[in-house]
Amino acid sequence: MLQSNSPLMNKNMRDKKEEKRLHSLYSMGILDSNTEERFDRLTRIASKLFQVPVALISLIDRDRQWFKSACGLDFRSTPRTDSFCAVAVENGRPLVVNDTLSESAFSHNRLVLNEPNIRFYAGYPVHLPDGG
């Protein structure tokens, strides 16, 4: 019998939670949808309020990070493996990285080393009412 704190049990629980989250995301029908002013307004406000060149509303699916709104970027998605947001979603809590070059988890990320040369990241995972 598996102990409740065993690595395998924790992985199984994480996998089930992720599958529920993905199901909720896909059922929303929002991925790959058109831009919407209500979301674009939020990213413009965030960019000005926090005085940052890039502000995003990101959705993390199985393989990628897709931007429902992107203020300051010319592309609409990145591989999930390059996503800072995926880390926040996986941990289920806010993530702040004050200096991406000094954080070993992110210093080799292509979005740090190449355009857009991310140096600071702050993200907060949001959840649907069903918890997904």
Side-chain angles (χ1 to χ4, degrees):
M1 185 165 147
L2 289 174
Q3 297 288 330
S4 63
N5 62 351
S6 75
L8 183 57
M9 180 67 81
N10 288 338
K11 182 184 181 322
N12 288 339
M13 290 172 57
R14 284 192 311 269
D15 290 347
K16 286 180 181 181
K17 184 177 177 183
E18 176 65 359
E19 287 304 315
K20 179 182 178 188
R21 188 192 69 77
L22 288 170
H23 176 75
S24 294
L25 174 63
Y26 296 141
S27 68
M28 287 178 53
I30 195 171
L31 286 171
D32 299 310
S33 61
N34 293 328
T35 60
E36 295 180 53
E37 177 56 27
R38 62 187 173 149
F39 294 110
D40 293 342
R41 185 177 324 113
L42 290 173
T43 55
R44 286 193 308 269
I45 290 169
S47 177
K48 288 179 183 173
L49 179 67
F50 297 111
Q51 299 176 359
V52 294
V54 175
L56 307 166
I57 296 176
S58 302
L59 302 172
I60 308 299
D61 74 8
R62 190 173 308 281
D63 301 312
R64 68 184 170 143
Q65 167 180 245
W66 180 76
F67 307 127
K68 177 60 181 167
S69 179
C71 177
L73 281 185
D74 294 330
F75 48 91
R76 294 292 304 248
S77 68
T78 66
R80 184 173 175 156
T81 55
D82 293 335
S83 172
F84 287 73
C85 299
V87 175
V89 167
E90 289 164 8
N91 291 331
R93 60 182 181 266
L95 174 66
V96 176
V97 182
N98 288 309
D99 180 2
T100 59
L101 289 172
S102 69
E103 291 285 337
S104 61
F106 302 107
S107 62
H108 298 290
N109 184 300
R110 71 178 189 94
L111 301 174
V112 171
L113 298 175
N114 303 302
E115 289 293 328
N117 301 107
I118 297 171
R119 295 297 176 261
F120 171 82
Y121 171 86
Y124 190 93
V126 295
H127 302 277
L128 295 172
D130 69 0

